[in-house]
Amino acid sequence: MLDARLRAFAAVARRGSFSRAADELFISQPAVSKHVAALETELGTQLVERRRSGSSLTTAGEILADYVLRAEALLANGRRAVEAGRDGHLGTLSLAASGIPGTYLLPPLLARFHEEHPAAAIDFQLSTSGGALELVRAHRAELGVIGGLVVPPELESETLVEDEIVLVGPPFLGGRRLKPRELTDLTWVYREEGSATRAAVEVARWEAGLHVSRSLELPSWEAVKLAVARGAGIAAVSRLALELELQVGSLVVLDLPRWRVGRMISAVYARDVPLGVAAERFLELLRAEMTAASG
């Protein structure tokens, strides 16, 4: 485990705030400040600029953070590798994913991975794209699968598949080209903040001249689709999540001029840090599946 001063500094570098770093480490904010100050004294240079609006790294802090964040990832992955070697199997696949890939892409692949490696444990956490990204950054997950976000410099991002986000509504809205003003009084049903789909939709909605007068925020894509199918409003949803609903006709894709929204589903993991055996095997499976699907 890293020295307490380095762990505190790494958390501040990730979070951009002493208070958020304290929350991550489950210690007090003064304790974080004391650890970082002690590190600055030892190195003889300021690492963090402290302001009321938050904290930012100095040039020296950015240099040190590049090493410390990779060291954290190496230790976390090394611990998983040791556990795998001790137990005589692949160890644990530690995976985080956002709603669309986590609900509609990964489950069948996780089932296949389990069939091929029944002794491997699977630790799978479902979150928003922002939440999954933070789990990987904090080394609570070794591998993440997310949609649409720019990743921080200590992580690698590997594109897996292109995703189309379509506007859907109940069946009575289908079959004709709609005008933006026809949708103005309808409720827009969203996922919660932190969803990469939601962020992309906000930009596309503005570009298409669509104004929202009412909105409803729900915690999952299944809840969003069910609400729209029952007439609660309209929603922008990944086409990857709509196979069943479009097949049975409970939802329809709306024909709206200028609505073109796409984003990439990507794998994220620590930069310049070898993946554990379980994560590497699952990533190989994921790459092969996405290549076959796009081909």
Side-chain angles (χ1 to χ4, degrees):
M1 181 178 291
L2 286 180
D3 176 279
R5 295 168 301 172
L6 292 174
R7 285 190 286 116
F9 171 70
V12 172
R14 271 194 298 272
R15 300 294 186 176
S17 160
F18 281 81
S19 61
R20 289 194 292 271
D23 291 340
E24 178 184 313
L25 297 173
F26 302 104
I27 61 176
S28 68
Q29 183 174 334
V32 174
S33 298
K34 180 179 178 180
H35 286 316
V36 173
L39 185 61
E40 289 176 322
T41 298
E42 179 181 335
L43 295 176
T45 188
Q46 185 179 4
L47 300 172
V48 182
E49 293 182 357
R50 300 154 176 85
R51 295 186 295 270
R52 288 186 177 181
S53 58
S55 304
S56 62
L57 300 182
T58 64
T59 300
E62 290 177 353
I63 293 171
L64 182 63
D66 185 51
Y67 288 93
V68 173
L69 293 173
R70 274 187 283 167
E72 274 196 328
L74 278 166
L75 285 170
N77 288 8
R79 189 179 304 113
R80 295 183 181 105
V82 168
E83 291 171 356
R86 183 183 62 214
D87 297 336
H89 57 69
L90 296 186
T92 298
L93 169 61
S94 179
L95 177 68
S98 57
I100 293 298
T103 304
Y104 303 101
L105 288 180
L106 297 184
L109 293 179
L110 286 168
R112 191 188 311 173
F113 179 83
H114 178 65
E115 288 178 3
E116 294 176 357
H117 309 287
I122 297 175
D123 176 16
F124 179 36
Q125 301 177 74
L126 187 65
S127 183
T128 61
S129 287
L133 192 65
E134 286 306 314
L135 288 168
V136 177
R137 292 190 76 192
H139 317 299
R140 296 193 179 110
E142 186 176 3
L143 180 65
V145 182
I146 64 170
L149 293 183
V150 176
V151 304
E154 74 269 20
L155 299 183
E156 290 283 0
S157 176
E158 177 181 330
T159 298
L160 297 171
V161 65
E162 187 172 2
D163 185 19
E164 180 187 9
I165 300 170
V166 295
L167 200 60
V168 296
F172 70 84
L173 288 176
R176 59 192 176 90
R177 171 155 282 208
L178 299 168
K179 298 179 180 178
R181 65 173 178 268
E182 295 181 75
L183 305 180
T184 300
D185 295 329
L186 295 175
T187 298
W188 282 68
V189 187
Y190 285 112
R191 275 288 308 278
E192 71 268 37
E193 292 288 351
S195 162
T197 301
R198 177 169 177 166
V201 166
E202 291 292 341
V203 174
R205 185 179 58 75
W206 179 81
E207 291 176 344
L210 295 170
H211 304 286
V212 175
S213 57
R214 296 191 303 273
S215 63
L216 172 64
E217 187 176 287
L218 295 174
S220 72
W221 287 112
E222 288 302 305
V224 168
K225 292 189 294 180
L226 183 60
V228 173
R230 293 186 176 179
I234 59 175
V237 182
S238 163
R239 192 177 282 276
L240 296 171
L242 293 168
E243 182 178 357
L244 178 61
E245 288 79 11
L246 297 181
Q247 187 176 28
V248 302
S250 60
L251 292 174
V252 295
V253 175
L254 305 182
D255 185 1
L256 189 71
R258 297 173 59 194
W259 183 268
R260 299 289 183 275
V261 188
R263 52 92 182 261
M264 297 296 178
I265 302 291
S266 302
V268 294
Y269 42 86
R271 178 170 56 86
D272 297 332
V273 175
L275 289 172
V277 178
E280 184 62 44
R281 294 278 177 84
F282 185 75
L283 183 56
E284 289 171 359
L285 178 63
L286 186 56
R287 288 167 178 153
E289 181 69 17
M290 295 302 100
T291 299
S294 62

